[in-house]
């Protein structure tokens, strides 16, 4: 059962966390981050403070230290069970203690414990991590500082010691008692073109005349109303490279930290290829939990997530190839499939799917993704049609590792393309299920369009499979490369590939060089990318490449505190402790034993609040300053686990209406909100949403038939802004097919009016042009010329050549 909401944090209670300051150093496509949490106890009693916060799943946390009264106390990375025991023992003896750990249920949620914070004491806790920066389609490197931790929907049986089950207090943005600041330094030998952000920044300051280094910072007064995102554009990002980093001299040779490690970056030049004959089975798993009714961003007039998802599904359905199979699942506390099993894509099944897409609502309660995944994997496979799974979710689940494990166990028979929607989506879930299935992941935040990213993934899934992927090393005698990254079996066009290898053997002279070669085959043709590099390792005090290599290794072995096979646990612990990179089996602990005397008196617990976002627009202002939410956001909170019907306004909820003497429960408020999501009692936001017909591009696309053609009818005339009889009269050849005429006109309209979002309709346009070639025959050229003249279109007729 879902945990109930909790007690309000009284506004008059001081919060010991005062500020968060972040120093970011980005060099090429690697980010080094130092985040300092500044605490101060303004109360007259000793405190134990708990702060739960998000972190990107790819972050390799390698350092944690405390500054207490001018003294630095460095934390030690220990077995998590041992670290917990040492923390509790230190607290009971009155020592100051600090604990940092990854959550048991999700790799992108951390908890920081500050124990025995004396009255008047100030403590600065600094954690450091490194991460690779993902490459966007337009060549931007994306860095995201997660500021939003969406509550995870709570399943029954979730571990009690998970920090996701803690009563995390939430407050309105204006009442958040701590601030955040960030200073970023960016450097690249190729030169920096520009830096963009979804947040207000100070003016960019270039350090030197060559624009190879720049500094920028968050503008004063930034609020935690969104994740902080930077997009960095270099003059050149697609050059392959190899960097070799020196190991730690004090560490024994043959250990990961003791040997040099190579980081290899490839940008394979995969040519365009015709889609394979085996089209595939396309299954779309769409989140319909209550939180999908939230807007895509906190900006004005932002589209609700569920409406963006519906538009995306319409585009995808129109872009699917004839002859493929497909199905659409919606999930929340329960799940629904459009068809009992995947159906062949034709006009009838497409129309039925479109009808149901337009009726979709965010009305299925909580976020339980495991059951529909099991149903999809349990279905019969279709010979000659490999499964391609597309998952769309705002990513608020508490059983992340179980979901990833389920996808991994079926990874050999499908690829998974995952999309994290809105602020605070779980990077652990979205990246994890894509990684273990050799798919790809995307995040849609702010004003980004879900449609363009989903259609790009669909294009990837339609491309012929790259086969026989291999990596070979040509090194001097006596030196060998041991791969630390998982074997790559799938590569997509435009994708960057990063691999890590441990170099073992005899030391070589400074002038020694080596080669590494990536080989692959596509439609019977062989390709290779070779890079030569210096074998002279470079020194880095932070051992950045080693930490990233350790993280890459841990991501393939560490499946969570309860899901990792016993055979892998030993390797996870060894690499984690040896390289100082945190895992689900380890935790950082620091103990201050230098106090003149132990802290006296009982500790008072203080949970650090976080901003309240998801329901803020619909939530009445609560007296007292904030509220506790356990496990799930308001829109998701009231659906019982695995209910098969919507909990309507006439059905009492099992949780009842609990009261407390202090504060207020949010249950009644949430219940009103959840009732408002029912199909018979829609919210004003939903009532006033723009219908699909208000968007001419979406309207035109919705009129396209499954085979790629358009009919000459009133709907098309409305989009073209003309009378139907005028369009019919302009048909240049009386014996020509009216559908051919209509399809040529529709394609011209797309090119003339939809250019800013061309990536969203390229596939369906390609299908339309193929249909014209097949059906218009010898009159094709005459139809195109007449249509261009009729529409007075500037479009080049060459767009109709395959």
């Amino acid at each position: 059962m879902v945990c109930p909401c909790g007690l309000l944090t009284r506004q008059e209670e001081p919060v010991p966390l005062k500020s968060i300051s972040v120093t970011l150093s980005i060099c090429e496509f690697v980010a080094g981050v130092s985040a300092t949490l500044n605490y101060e106890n303004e109360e007259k009693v000793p405190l134990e403070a708990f702060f739960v916060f998000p972190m990107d799943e790819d972050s390799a946390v390698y350092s944690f230290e405390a500054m207490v009264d001018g003294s630095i106390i460095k934390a030690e990375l220990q077995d998590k069970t041992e670290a917990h025991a040492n923390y509790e023992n230190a607290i009971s003896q009155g020592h100051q203690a600090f604990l940092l750990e990854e959550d048991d249920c999700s790799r992108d949620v951390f908890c920081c414990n500050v124990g025995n914070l004396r009255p008047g004491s100030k403590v600065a806790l600094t954690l450091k991590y490194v991460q690779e920066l993902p490459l966007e389609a337009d060549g931007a490197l994306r860095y995201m500082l997660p500021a939003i931790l969406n509550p995870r929907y709570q399943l029954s049986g979730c571990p009690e010691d998970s920090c996701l089950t803690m009563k995390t207090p939430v407050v309105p943005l204006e009442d958040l008692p701590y601030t955040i600041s960030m200073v970023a330094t960016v450097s690249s030998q190729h030169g920096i073109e520009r830096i963009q952000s979804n947040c207000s920044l100070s003016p960019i300051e270039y350090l030197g005349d060559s624009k190879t280094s720049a500094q920028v910072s968050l503008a004063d007064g930034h609020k935690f109303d969104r994740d902080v995102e930077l997009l960095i554009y270099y003059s050149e990002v697609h050059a392959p490279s190899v960097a070799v980093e020196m190991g730690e001299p004090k560490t024994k040779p043959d250990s990961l930290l003791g040997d040099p490690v190579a980081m290899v970056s490839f940008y394979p030049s995969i040519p365009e290829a015709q889609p394979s004959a085996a089209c595939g089975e396309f299954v779309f798993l769409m989140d319909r939990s209550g939180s999908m009714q939230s807007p895509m961003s906190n900006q004005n007039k932002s589209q609700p997530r569920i409406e963006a998802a519906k538009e995306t599904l319409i585009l995808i359905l129109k872009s699917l190839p004839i002859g493929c199979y497909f199905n659409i699942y919606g999930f929340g506390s329960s799940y629904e499939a459009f068809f009992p099993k995947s159906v062949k894509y034709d006009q009838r099944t497409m129309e039925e799917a479109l009808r149901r897409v337009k009726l979709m609502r965010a009305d299925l309660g909580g976020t339980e993704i495991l059951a529909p995944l099991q149903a999809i994997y349990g279905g019969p496979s279709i010979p000659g049609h490999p499964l391609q799974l597309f998952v769309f979710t705002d990513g608020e689940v508490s059983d992340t590792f179980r979901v990833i494990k389920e996808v991994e166990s079926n990874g050999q028979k499908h690829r998974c393309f995952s999309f994290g929607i809105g602020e605070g989506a779980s990077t652990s879930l979205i990246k994890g299920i894509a990684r273990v299935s050799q798919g790809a992941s995307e995040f849609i935040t702010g004003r980004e369009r879900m449609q363009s990213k989903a259609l790009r993934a669909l294009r990837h899934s339609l491309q012929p499979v790259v086969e026989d992927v291999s990596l070979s090393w040509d090194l001097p005698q006596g030196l060998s490369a041991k791969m630390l990254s998982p074997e790559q079996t799938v590569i997509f066009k435009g994708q960057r590939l990063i691999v890590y290898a441990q170099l073992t053997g005899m030391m070589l002279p400074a002038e020694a060089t080596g080669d590494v070669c990536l080989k692959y085959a596509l439609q019977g043709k062989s390709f290779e990318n070779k890079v030569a590099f210096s074998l002279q390792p470079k020194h880095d005090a932070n051992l950045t490449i080693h930490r990233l290599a350790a993280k890459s290794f841990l991501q393939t072995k560490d499946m969570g505190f309860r899901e990792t096979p016993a055979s892998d646990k030993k390797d996870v612990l060894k690499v984690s402790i040896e390289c100082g990179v945190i895992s689900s089996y380890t935790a950082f602990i620091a103990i201050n034993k230098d106090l003149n005397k132990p802290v006296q008196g009982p500790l008072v617990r203080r949970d650090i609040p976080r901003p309240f976002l998801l329901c803020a627009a619909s939530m009445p202002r609560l007296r007292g300053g904030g509220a506790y939410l356990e496990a799930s956001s308001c829109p998701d909170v009231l659906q019982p686990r695995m209910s098969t019907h919507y909990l309507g306004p006439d059905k009492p909820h099992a949780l009842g209406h609990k009261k407390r003497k202090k504060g207020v429960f949010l249950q009644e408020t949430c219940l009103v909100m959840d009732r408002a999501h029912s199909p018979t009692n829609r919210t004003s936001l939903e009532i006033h949403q723009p219908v699909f017909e208000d968007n001419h591009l979406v309207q035109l696309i919705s009129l396209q038939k499954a085979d790629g053609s358009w009919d000459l009818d009133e709907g098309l005339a409305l989009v073209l802004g003309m009378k139907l009889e005028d369009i019919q009269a302009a048909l240049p050849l009386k014996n020509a097919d009216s559908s051919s005429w209509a399809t040529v006109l529709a394609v011209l309209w797309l090119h003339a009016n939809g250019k800013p979002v061309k990536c969203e309709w390229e596939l369906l346009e390609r299908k339309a042009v193929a249909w014209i070639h097949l059906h218009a025959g010898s009159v094709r050229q005459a139809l195109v010329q007449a249509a261009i003249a009729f529409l007075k279109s500037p479009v080049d007729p060459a767009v109709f050549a395959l």
Side-chain angles (χ1 to χ4, degrees), residues 39 48-51 53 64 75-76 78-80 82-88 96-102 110-115 125 582 586-591:
Y39 289 85
E48 183 175 30
F50 297 86
F51 183 38
F53 58 95
F64 183 56
E76 180 184 347
Q78 299 178 354
D79 181 293
K80 181 179 284 190
E82 179 185 344
H84 272 256
N86 289 338
Y87 177 81
E88 294 297 335
Q96 279 187 335
F98 313 96
L99 185 73
L100 179 71
E101 62 180 320
E102 183 183 285
F110 278 69
C111 183
C112 180
N113 296 7
V114 179
L125 300 179
I582 203 168
T586 51
F588 279 107
I589 180 170
I591 299 173

Side-chain angles (χ1 to χ4, degrees), residues 227-453:
D227 294 332
V228 179
E229 183 180 88
L230 294 180
L231 295 175
I232 300 107
Y233 293 84
Y234 296 143
S235 300
E236 175 59 61
V237 295
H238 295 97
S241 64
V242 180
V244 181
E245 182 179 86
M246 187 180 298
E248 175 59 61
K250 298 178 182 178
T251 308
K252 62 180 180 179
D254 298 330
S255 66
L256 175 54
L257 213 57
D259 287 328
V261 168
M263 179 184 191
V264 185
S265 305
F266 281 113
Y267 299 86
S269 302
I270 300 175
E272 281 286 352
Q274 291 299 316
S276 56
C279 294
E281 177 189 6
F282 299 89
V283 176
F284 306 96
L285 183 55
M286 182 62 64
D287 192 340
R288 286 177 52 191
S289 63
S291 56
M292 285 290 288
Q293 186 57 48
S294 301
M296 288 292 296
S297 76
N298 296 300
Q299 303 172 46
N300 291 336
K301 299 181 181 179
S302 181
Q303 188 180 32
R305 298 172 188 176
I306 190 65
E307 294 303 316
K310 289 160 68 173
E311 281 191 18
T312 301
L313 283 176
I314 287 177
L315 279 167
I316 287 175
L317 285 170
K318 294 295 182 175
S319 303
L320 291 176
I322 287 289
C324 75
Y325 287 76
F326 79 101
N327 204 350
I328 297 174
Y329 284 72
F331 73 94
S333 298
S334 58
Y335 65 89
E336 301 173 354
F338 279 19
F339 306 101
K341 62 180 182 179
S342 292
V343 295
K344 195 164 187 177
Y345 178 74
D346 56 28
Q347 186 63 25
R348 181 188 64 81
T349 57
M350 185 195 74
E351 286 181 351
E352 172 62 16
L354 285 173
R355 182 186 68 80
R356 298 193 64 172
V357 165
K358 292 179 181 181
L359 294 174
M360 279 175 51
R361 297 285 180 268
D363 58 3
L364 290 183
T367 311
E368 301 191 23
I369 192 172
L370 190 59
L373 279 175
Q374 291 170 336
I376 292 167
Y377 295 142
S381 59
I382 302 173
H385 293 271
L387 175 63
Q388 311 272 13
L389 177 62
F390 291 71
V391 178
F392 299 84
T393 179
D394 51 14
E396 301 160 24
V397 298
S398 60
D399 58 343
T400 299
F401 286 120
R402 289 174 61 195
V403 173
I404 295 173
K405 188 174 182 180
E406 181 68 26
V407 174
E408 183 180 40
S409 64
N410 293 277
Q412 296 303 313
K413 64 179 184 181
H414 85 299
R415 288 186 297 187
C416 179
F417 299 87
S418 54
F419 303 85
I421 304 169
E423 307 287 352
S426 169
T427 61
S428 184
L429 175 70
I430 303 304
K431 292 183 178 182
I433 59 177
R435 183 178 59 250
V436 298
S437 63
Q438 297 288 304
S441 61
E442 295 276 9
F443 290 87
I444 304 105
T445 59
R447 299 198 177 191
E448 290 180 315
R449 287 179 60 80
M450 186 187 309
Q451 295 86 338
S452 60
K453 294 197 171 186

